[in-house]
Amino acid sequence: MIRLPAFTYVAPKTVDGAVRAIVDAGPDGMLVAGGTDLFPNMKRRQFEPRALVGLRAIGELRGVAGSPREGMRIGACTTLTAVATHPEVARGYAGLATAAGLVSSPQLRNVGTLGGNVCVDTRCNYYNQSYEWRKAIGFCMKRDGDICLVAPGSPRCWAVSSSDTAPVLWSLGARVRLVGPGGERTVPLAALYRDDGIEYQAKRADEILTEIVLPPADGWRSAYLKLRRRGSFDFPVLGVAVALRLEGEVVREARIVLGAVASLPREASKAAAGLVGQRLTAETIAAAADAAAGPAKPLDNTDLTHPYRKKVTRVYVARALARVAGFDDGTSLEAIA
Ligand SMILES: Cc1cc2nc3c(=O)[nH]c(=O)nc-3n(C[C@H](O)[C@H](O)[C@H](O)COP(=O)(O)OP(=O)(O)OC[C@H]3O[C@@H](n4cnc5c(N)ncnc54)[C@H](O)[C@@H]3O)c2cc1C
Ligand code: SF4
């Protein structure tokens, strides 16, 4: 059994209390919600915080409010199960309900939170290993070492953004509320991420993500597809989030965001722009899928081979668009993919 390193734990009851606690803890402190990502990482000595500030006792961070018509607010500590099974979320933001319901396993979704999923650490085959494994290969720059073992000449880490919900929330135009010692701010979820496997978040370490704000769902339809080896609980090796605003049969706005292909969710803007003003047909879907596969440049540092993941990107984008269009039966899919 791998044991956790020693740490102190505080569980404030308010957001203000949590901000004070994380500021007091300084650089040795970390926030924890469900702990389903952080605790395994601590066991592998990827993080060794001396102080943890638990967020689960803060009632104001839990719950879902609003409706698809007016927009919805989801507390950061709402469990993934609660998000996946919420009828209004499923009605207005189908892609989000799907993504939340595909994270890991039922047990972990009962504990893991939406906020934790948005902030989940980037992953790499050379990093998500025990301390002894990593030591045996000389470590890498994400933790304890100097070079990148995937791209040894590279000055940066290419660990992969592996959140299921982040690409969907990005595609839905979600915003996040952050509260820290300097006050609070609400920013587009897309602004939370940086293209760097180590410094993958743009927020300050002492800022707490308190809620996710979804815009009105009026006219928008969304879908999420996930590629992984085991359907039961693997992280995504590819996630495809599609959100379209339709007027009748014509696409008025479109967003396609790919997960697990880079250190941050990757928006396929050109592919989405090509759909605007078009009807969804086998031809327009195939053209968008071709264009979307372009920005996907998976590296050889997660499960399945990277050429295969790139090929499947095209197929999954086509399938996600077909699902939103409502004609994802086998015949149409064969024509598209
Ligand atoms: C076997 C296994 C399989 C998994 N499969 C998947 C998968 O398929 N897809 C997937 O996306 N994830 C997967 N995970 C990872 C994890 O379970 C989920 O991402 C989960 O949603 C994390 O939420 P949490 O509340 O447990 O986060 P925690 O572990 O508590 O925190 C994760 C990170 O977020 C930070 N954080 C948490 N909440 C906040 C907040 N409110 N404000 C600021 N920072 C915060 C923490 O400091 C930490 O850095 C898996 C984990 C395991 C162990
Ligand atoms: S991408 Fe390179 S630096 Fe980053 S975790 Fe993997 S091996 Fe380490």
Side-chain angles (χ1 to χ4, degrees):
M1 182 204 282
I2 307 179
R3 292 187 181 281
L4 283 166
F7 59 90
T8 61
Y9 184 78
V10 288
K13 296 250 173 2
T14 63
V15 172
D16 286 350
V19 170
R20 277 196 301 277
I22 194 66
V23 170
D24 288 349
D28 285 335
M30 280 188 84
L31 300 165
V32 63
T36 62
D37 188 56
L38 185 60
F39 290 140
N41 289 351
M42 285 172 63
K43 287 187 171 187
R44 293 188 290 250
R45 297 334 189 235
Q46 287 152 348
F47 296 101
E48 293 182 83
R50 298 231 180 101
L52 282 185
V53 178
L55 301 175
R56 292 178 66 195
I58 306 175
E60 64 190 289
L61 292 184
R62 284 194 302 273
V64 182
S67 69
R69 175 193 270 267
E70 68 198 26
M72 297 190 76
R73 309 177 88 86
I74 305 179
C77 285
T78 309
T79 66
L80 293 160
T81 298
V83 175
T85 57
H86 197 283
E88 293 289 279
V89 173
R91 187 165 66 85
Y93 312 92
L96 176 59
T98 304
L102 287 174
V103 173
S104 51
S105 66
Q107 292 90 335
L108 292 170
R109 291 196 293 275
N110 288 341
V111 180
T113 66
L114 185 62
N117 194 242
V118 164
C119 298
V120 75
D121 194 15
T122 53
R123 295 178 64 80
C124 171
N125 284 345
Y126 295 94
Y127 170 72
N128 294 99
Q129 305 288 352
S130 67
Y131 180 85
E132 289 71 23
W133 193 102
R134 292 187 293 115
K135 186 177 176 192
I137 56 160
F139 298 114
C140 75
M141 72 166 77
K142 185 156 161 73
R143 179 73 203 209
D144 300 316
D146 302 318
I147 61 159
C148 171
L149 297 169
V150 178
S154 169
R156 58 160 284 190
C157 163
W158 297 89
V160 175
S161 168
S162 300
S163 163
D164 278 302
T165 63
V168 183
L169 290 167
W170 183 317
S171 73
L172 292 169
R175 298 169 69 79
V176 290
R177 188 157 73 96
L178 302 168
V179 179
E184 72 168 72
R185 60 193 178 116
T186 301
V187 298
L189 174 117
L192 253 193
Y193 300 106
R194 301 178 45 180
D195 192 5
D196 185 288
I198 298 171
E199 302 292 336
Y200 63 96
Q201 286 201 333
K203 79 170 189 61
R204 290 168 47 126
D206 57 11
E207 279 184 306
I208 298 172
L209 195 165
T210 58
E211 67 179 359
I212 290 96
V213 184
L214 294 165
D218 194 27
W220 284 89
R221 287 195 221 158
S222 59
Y224 178 71
L225 291 188
K226 170 174 181 169
L227 173 70
R228 56 180 163 179
R229 188 181 291 268
R230 297 168 296 184
S232 50
F233 74 101
D234 277 336
F235 278 86
V237 285
L238 170 69
V240 173
V242 163
L244 304 178
R245 188 172 68 77
L246 296 159
E247 269 175 20
E249 290 180 7
V250 178
V251 177
R252 290 299 173 204
E253 289 180 81
R255 292 190 207 107
I256 300 171
V257 185
L258 308 176
V261 297
S263 297
L264 77 177
R266 179 73 79 203
E267 188 161 5
S269 313
K270 275 193 191 152
L275 287 169
V276 174
Q278 308 277 351
R279 286 188 162 72
L280 288 172
T281 62
E283 290 71 33
T284 56
I285 287 178
D290 280 340
K297 296 193 171 53
L299 281 178
D300 191 11
N301 60 347
T302 64
D303 197 8
L304 306 177
T305 67
H306 56 297
Y308 173 73
R309 276 156 41 219
K310 180 145 175 98
K311 261 190 206 162
V312 174
T313 304
R314 183 187 178 282
V315 177
Y316 271 42
V317 170
R319 288 183 184 172
L321 286 167
R323 181 171 293 182
V324 172
F327 54 85
D328 54 348
D329 61 277
T331 323
S332 311
L333 278 176
E334 270 165 33
I336 295 162

